[in-house]
Amino acid sequence: MAMLLEIRDLHIEALGEDGRWQEIVKGVSLELEPARVLGLIGESGAGKSTIGLAALGYARHGCRLARGSIRLEGEELFGATSEKLREIRGVRVCYVAQSAAAAFNPAHRLDDQVIEAAVQHGIMSPGEARAEARRLYAKLKLPDPATFGRRYPHQVSGGQLQRAMTVMAMVPRPDLIVFDEPTTALDVTTQIEVLAAIREAITDEGMAAIYITHDLALVAQMAHRIMVLRHGLEVEVGPTERILEAPREDYTRALVGVRRVQKPEKPRSGGAPLLEVRHVDAAYGAVPVLFDVSVCLEAGRTVAVVGESGSGKSTLARVITGLLPPRKGEVRLDGRPLPPSLKERAKDQLRRIQLVYQMPDVALNPRQKVEEIVGRVLTFYFGTNGAERRREVERLLEEVELPAGFADRYPAELSGGQKQRVCIARALAARPEVIICDEVTSALDVQVADAVLRLLLRLQEETGVAYLFITHDLATVKAIADDIVVMLEGRVVEQGPKSEILSPPHHPYTDLLLSSVPEMEVGWLDRVLRERAERKARGEAVMEAADR
Amino acid sequence: MHPLVKLVAQRLALGAGTLLVVSALIFAGTEILPGDVAQAILGQSATPEAVAAIREDLGLDRPAWIRYLDWLSGFLRGDLGTSLANRVPIGEMIAGRLENTLFLAGVAAAFAVPVAITLGIVAARYRETWLDKAISIVTLSAISMPEFFIGYILIFVFAVKLFWVPSIASVFPGMSFADRLYAVTLPVATLSLVVIAHMMRMTRAAIVNVMASPYIETAELKGLTRARITLRHALPNALSPIINVVVINLAYLVVGVVVVEVVFVYPGMGQLMVDAVAKRDVPVVQATGIIFAATYVLLNLTADVLAILANPRIRHAR
């Protein structure tokens, strides 16, 4: 069969900080037949987005296509003139970006953007394009297809915007669509619907697709073939079933293998709780965010707070740390109520609760060395200074499995995982009893995240620190929690020991959340959708994602 | 009430409050000016009795706060007071001058704003090319020279050597529009050279800044032309900084043209104010001061409202 896309020995370079070109894609070849889906998978820095964009003959600012060949139906895109490339882009190859919220122009209505490529390239008249857009809005199950396009991007939800972006890519009827992590920015319950909609649409319209993601379980639902990438090189490529069931390379095996971090649930001690949140209501200005939230944490245990964006889980962390005084209710530490506001708390009360943030990049002062970042805490709480402080910083770094010499580094000289370890060391420096971990692994690649989780568990064994673990990632919850608190729209819908929450019968929302987590098996998506449809047909209560 | 109406009402109230404070400041400022109008009027024959008589005649013997309230209430009724120097109602004195100033500012703006924005867009579109650099060099050279210097150079070249245009921008009532335009050619050129660079640089910077947005990449991946990407996708999102810098420059064209008016002997508000200060004609100074302040406040209010209107998130609430 004739190939739609053939990439041969493609090298792509990026301009490094030292002003020299460095190879980020080091000779990758791939081919794609019409109406087939190829999955590109790998961690960040694997070069998958860069390769995806190269299918449109495009290199991001600061990157360049160095050598190789990119053929679309035999036509060479490498080194093609910008006029030539303009005739390809938005006509025969379209692109769906990771964050539709950022990829839509805030100044124009959705329709104007959705039909723009088709109209500008003279493929359709504005009227025809609008009709086609309406048809596709309906196909992707967007609300009010007739009027949906009149809205501005900020007037629709993230999940809807992501689907609108898919419509935008489909209106010109391209031969190939490049999906670049199209569901990564979405909640897990919304993701499943967007996935199903995208898959149905590309199958029906007979378009080929390159589906880029870091989540193997996801790509297994979408792709006929999968290519595994690492450090800009192909690891292996093959049909989806083969990659999942018989991976040839160790790296693929590691990706396919289930999470290795697994901690048995610790039995409750029955003692007095260390940290107690009692009937807390909280609001940002006039907007109420938390309603009657009660959570309880015993010493040395881990409570995982799960929920989707907007469920109020990070607000809960702000209430506990005193950054946001609650409207009602109180927070108790060791049975004694804590002053609601950070400013009123004693130094020792502050010391006992520490916080580790989601984004280690922004949580570290880029102008301070690690020694200063961690050492400040020692000076502040314990008055440690000089050589003693240095020794203590080095000890803490070793504790989080970093070389002592990292004390002299600036954050920019560390990787994402290393930065998060520094953040953990900083929290540990205060010798806290509770560490609140707010999505601490979600900005990290799977394997790095696993290592950080293992570190956290080891530290808990050694120091007896309790974790309040805030996350949207159920795999993380399964791995490390003792107790689980499920939150939805500012309320606790269910809480209890891990074993209880994770085994049926579930609260309908917990059920929706659990069943939406992609599993590493071909056909998982079909199975879940079928089961949900059957249960609905039987008249059982099935909750749907609140995609507002 | 539509949130926008509320916003405008809020800004208007804020503007009125600002003007009130400014009026008090202007009044206080003119109070502490050295010198005394009675002495200035009498000159050599300033016997203490004559000074006292004139002070009483002019109402200067009353306490300052009463005179302030008096002045303010007169102002609110549209009565700007009477000039101390020549006993002419200030309203009459200012009307023609204000018209001249607004005419000069209006013509300069009508020329400079479109030119500056176009140059900014072109520079952003051809960023880092020789064209961009040429635009920057020319406009920045112009802004680096003092206005009076530019003014005299223009006079030297176009009036003295080439005889194309008059060196003195004299306008008088009853002049035709075309004659007026011709008369102000050089002041308009001078003012334009001063304000274009600032607006052009900001337009370029705002667009270049927006050009790094993901939605510009989306537009590029749709195969759109650079011109369309710049005009349709970048410009609308760069409007609010552009509006702000344009308005600051408009305000400058009204309020800051004293030097240019003096160089070209143009009968505008700036000259009037400078003369009044020299003559200790306090009511005139106060009136011109308040009018300048009102211009500033009003233009900034317009900028705020326009910048808000440029944001679809506010125009179209969820």
Side-chain angles (χ1 to χ4, degrees):
Chain A
M1 192 171 190
M3 287 298 162
L4 174 66
L5 179 75
E6 271 186 281
I7 292 180
R8 289 270 162 268
D9 193 31
L10 181 65
H11 295 257
I12 303 174
E13 296 175 343
L15 198 56
E17 277 173 26
D18 54 357
R20 276 202 298 242
W21 291 97
Q22 288 161 351
E23 270 202 347
I24 50 171
V25 173
K26 303 159 185 165
V28 169
S29 301
L30 61 84
E31 47 197 35
L32 179 61
E33 292 167 21
R36 302 288 282 176
V37 179
L38 171 72
L40 293 185
I41 177 150
E43 295 174 4
S44 57
K48 42 193 201 306
S49 291
T50 314
I51 295 170
L53 287 166
L56 293 95
Y58 183 84
R60 286 213 163 108
H61 193 69
C63 295
R64 66 175 183 194
L65 305 174
R67 60 199 157 88
S69 151
I70 306 156
R71 283 173 186 275
L72 186 70
E73 289 186 314
E75 217 172 315
E76 183 59 66
L77 302 188
F78 187 93
T81 61
S82 52
E83 286 76 21
K84 172 98 204 131
L85 289 173
R86 273 212 301 276
E87 285 163 26
I88 303 277
R89 296 176 188 161
V91 181
R92 291 166 61 195
V93 189
C94 289
Y95 180 75
V96 177
Q98 171 168 5
S99 166
F104 269 105
N105 191 325
H108 299 295
R109 293 178 195 276
L110 290 171
D111 252 357
D112 294 337
Q113 305 188 51
V114 164
I115 66 168
E116 188 177 22
V119 173
Q120 285 298 310
H121 290 293
I123 301 169
M124 296 174 197
S125 72
E128 287 165 353
R130 242 177 263 277
E132 175 69 1
R134 276 198 292 273
R135 184 181 76 82
L136 289 166
Y137 290 146
K139 186 163 191 74
L140 279 122
K141 302 189 178 62
L142 284 162
D144 311 316
T147 57
F148 179 79
R150 282 195 224 138
R151 298 187 214 175
Y152 280 87
H154 69 273
Q155 293 173 316
V156 306
S157 74
Q160 290 170 357
L161 216 46
Q162 207 68 45
R163 277 179 277 177
M165 183 127 201
T166 306
V167 172
M168 183 155 83
M170 288 181 146
V171 167
R173 304 180 171 282
D175 301 318
L176 170 64
I177 299 182
V178 177
F179 291 92
D180 193 352
E181 306 251 11
T183 61
T184 307
L186 303 179
D187 278 323
V188 63
T189 55
T190 317
Q191 164 173 282
I192 191 168
E193 295 179 7
V194 174
L195 276 184
I198 289 178
R199 197 182 56 176
E200 194 187 331
I202 50 180
T203 313
D204 289 2
E205 307 290 322
M207 291 165 188
I210 292 179
Y211 197 97
I212 297 164
T213 173
H214 65 278
D215 188 340
L216 188 55
L218 268 191
V219 80
Q221 313 310 318
M222 308 297 286
H224 301 103
R225 288 170 69 80
I226 291 177
M227 175 181 276
V228 183
L229 292 159
R230 191 181 197 193
H231 306 321
L233 283 166
E234 174 190 316
V235 175
E236 66 177 305
V237 63
T240 301
E241 286 85 355
R242 211 273 294 149
I243 294 284
L244 251 57
E245 280 150 29
R248 290 186 186 136
E249 300 296 321
D250 286 343
Y251 181 68
T252 317
R253 266 194 285 278
L255 286 180
V256 173
V258 277
R259 291 254 179 157
R260 285 147 302 168
V261 181
Q262 203 70 32
K263 180 191 100 147
E265 181 183 319
K266 227 180 262 174
R268 285 203 175 168
S269 64
L274 175 63
L275 180 79
E276 230 183 327
V277 176
R278 284 189 174 188
H279 306 292
V280 158
D281 280 15
Y284 290 116
V287 185
V289 183
L290 294 181
F291 308 90
D292 193 29
V293 171
S294 297
V295 173
C296 171
L297 177 61
E298 284 176 20
R301 284 169 69 88
T302 303
V303 169
V305 180
V306 277
E308 298 176 286
S309 54
S311 62
K313 45 193 200 304
S314 288
T315 308
L316 178 61
R318 291 173 62 86
V319 169
I320 294 172
T321 50
L323 288 167
L324 180 75
R327 284 277 165 89
K328 266 200 311 204
E330 60 175 8
V331 180
R332 285 170 171 255
L333 186 63
D334 249 350
R336 274 191 298 279
L338 283 173
S341 165
L342 188 67
K343 294 178 203 115
E344 301 156 23
R345 292 188 187 174
K347 210 181 219 185
D348 196 57
Q349 289 173 321
L350 295 175
R351 180 191 65 77
R352 294 167 74 184
I353 303 176
Q354 292 292 313
L355 186 57
V356 180
Y357 295 91
Q358 174 173 8
M359 308 290 269
D361 289 325
V362 291
L364 298 175
N365 186 335
R367 297 196 183 277
Q368 285 180 352
K369 287 185 179 172
V370 169
E371 178 177 4
E372 180 64 21
I373 289 169
V374 179
R376 276 176 65 103
V377 181
L378 296 169
T379 311
F380 180 74
Y381 288 119
F382 310 112
T384 318
N385 271 313
E388 195 193 341
R389 188 176 94 157
R390 172 76 187 195
R391 267 198 308 280
E392 184 63 12
V393 170
E394 290 181 355
R395 189 190 65 76
L396 285 163
L397 288 177
E398 274 159 21
E399 192 86 328
V400 297
E401 296 155 15
L402 290 177
F406 274 32
D408 294 319
R409 292 206 185 183
Y410 287 97
E413 297 168 293
L414 305 174
S415 73
Q418 289 167 344
K419 279 182 215 168
Q420 198 56 290
R421 283 165 191 265
V422 170
C423 290
I424 294 168
R426 175 170 62 183
L428 283 179
R431 288 175 226 148
E433 287 154 49
V434 178
I435 297 182
I436 299 173
C437 301
D438 190 357
E439 303 271 12
V440 289
T441 55
S442 45
L444 306 175
D445 285 320
V446 181
Q447 308 211 339
V448 181
D450 259 16
V452 168
L453 291 182
R454 263 201 299 272
L455 168 70
L456 287 171
L457 291 179
R458 203 201 78 220
L459 292 171
Q460 186 171 52
E461 285 293 312
E462 289 170 11
T463 64
V465 66
Y467 294 130
L468 187 82
F469 210 93
I470 293 168
T471 180
H472 68 281
D473 179 9
L474 282 148
T476 308
V477 174
K478 286 179 188 170
I480 66 148
D482 296 311
D483 296 295
I484 298 179
V485 176
V486 183
M487 287 188 68
L488 173 66
E489 290 169 9
R491 291 185 168 81
V492 173
V493 293
E494 198 176 13
Q495 62 180 314
K498 173 162 72 174
S499 52
E500 219 168 85
I501 299 287
L502 293 184
S503 48
H506 302 297
H507 178 279
Y509 180 69
T510 313
D511 182 59
L512 174 71
L513 211 52
L514 287 173
S515 67
S516 299
V517 179
E519 284 170 28
M520 199 72 76
E521 78 182 46
V522 177
W524 162 81
L525 182 59
D526 301 289
R527 180 166 58 78
V528 174
L529 293 174
R530 202 173 51 240
E531 281 170 8
R532 285 187 187 174
E534 284 169 6
R535 285 173 52 190
K536 222 187 261 178
R538 285 200 302 269
E540 286 176 35
V542 180
M543 222 172 137
E544 290 186 3
D547 188 8
R548 289 168 306 271
Chain B
M1 193 158 50
H2 193 277
L4 199 62
V5 180
K6 197 174 153 195
L7 244 158
V8 172
Q10 272 175 355
R11 294 292 155 97
L12 267 176
L14 207 66
T18 311
L19 275 183
L20 191 70
V21 173
V22 169
S23 74
L25 283 177
I26 288 177
F27 194 86
T30 48
E31 276 298 303
I32 58 172
L33 268 184
D36 182 289
V37 71
Q39 298 220 345
I41 292 172
L42 291 168
Q44 292 286 328
S45 56
T47 62
E49 292 77 23
V51 169
I54 288 201
R55 288 182 65 88
E56 196 184 337
D57 187 29
L58 298 175
L60 293 178
D61 53 341
R62 291 176 303 156
W65 66 273
I66 291 189
R67 280 183 289 129
Y68 171 66
L69 289 181
D70 219 35
W71 173 67
L72 194 65
S73 66
F75 215 96
L76 291 177
R77 288 195 310 272
D79 173 16
L80 302 187
T82 322
S83 159
L84 295 183
N86 52 12
R87 304 291 172 117
V88 175
I90 294 175
E92 277 172 36
M93 276 175 78
I94 284 184
R97 295 297 192 107
L98 183 60
E99 197 183 309
N100 288 344
T101 290
L102 292 180
F103 178 75
L104 181 60
V107 174
F111 175 73
V113 172
V115 168
I117 291 179
T118 310
L119 285 178
I121 293 171
V122 170
R125 158 67 182 84
Y126 295 99
R127 174 164 43 131
E128 317 276 276
T129 66
W130 63 269
L131 185 59
D132 176 25
K133 283 172 189 148
I135 291 174
S136 285
I137 288 171
V138 171
T139 51
L140 286 179
S141 318
I143 208 179
S144 312
M145 287 184 281
E147 307 160 79
F148 67 86
F149 185 63
I150 298 179
Y152 286 130
I153 286 188
L154 291 180
I155 289 177
F156 179 73
V157 174
F158 294 101
V160 177
K161 288 283 166 191
L162 297 169
F163 300 110
W164 286 0
V165 283
S167 65
I168 289 179
S170 59
V171 291
F172 45 85
M175 216 173 169
S176 79
F177 184 70
D179 287 345
R180 268 178 187 261
L181 268 187
Y182 180 64
V184 298
T185 313
L186 285 187
V188 164
T190 310
L191 287 172
S192 297
L193 283 175
V194 175
V195 295
I196 281 178
H198 191 197
M199 291 190 282
M200 170 265 154
R201 295 293 298 174
M202 187 53 94
T203 304
R204 180 189 180 278
I207 293 180
V208 166
N209 190 22
V210 169
M211 279 291 193
S213 310
Y215 52 80
I216 298 298
E217 183 175 282
T218 307
E220 276 185 75
L221 292 174
K222 281 182 187 173
L224 305 177
T225 59
R226 293 291 296 176
R228 187 174 169 89
I229 293 171
T230 311
L231 290 176
R232 183 158 169 87
H233 288 277
L235 186 59
N237 292 293
L239 277 183
S240 62
I242 296 176
I243 288 169
N244 271 311
V245 73
V246 165
V247 167
I248 287 174
N249 281 284
L250 289 185
Y252 169 80
L253 284 177
V254 177
V255 178
V257 293
V258 181
V259 174
V260 172
E261 286 185 2
V262 171
V263 168
F264 292 97
V265 203
Y266 184 78
M269 290 274 286
Q271 280 234 1
L272 182 69
M273 192 178 194
V274 171
D275 291 349
V277 170
K279 288 187 216 152
R280 305 279 181 273
D281 197 346
V282 172
V284 177
V285 177
Q286 289 167 342
T288 47
I290 270 287
I291 288 172
F292 282 154
T295 312
Y296 229 97
V297 168
L298 208 65
L299 281 170
N300 274 304
L301 177 80
T302 318
D304 279 359
V305 173
L306 287 178
I308 289 164
L309 283 178
N311 183 348
R313 283 165 199 274
I314 300 182
R315 239 180 322 136
H316 308 271
R318 269 185 88 95

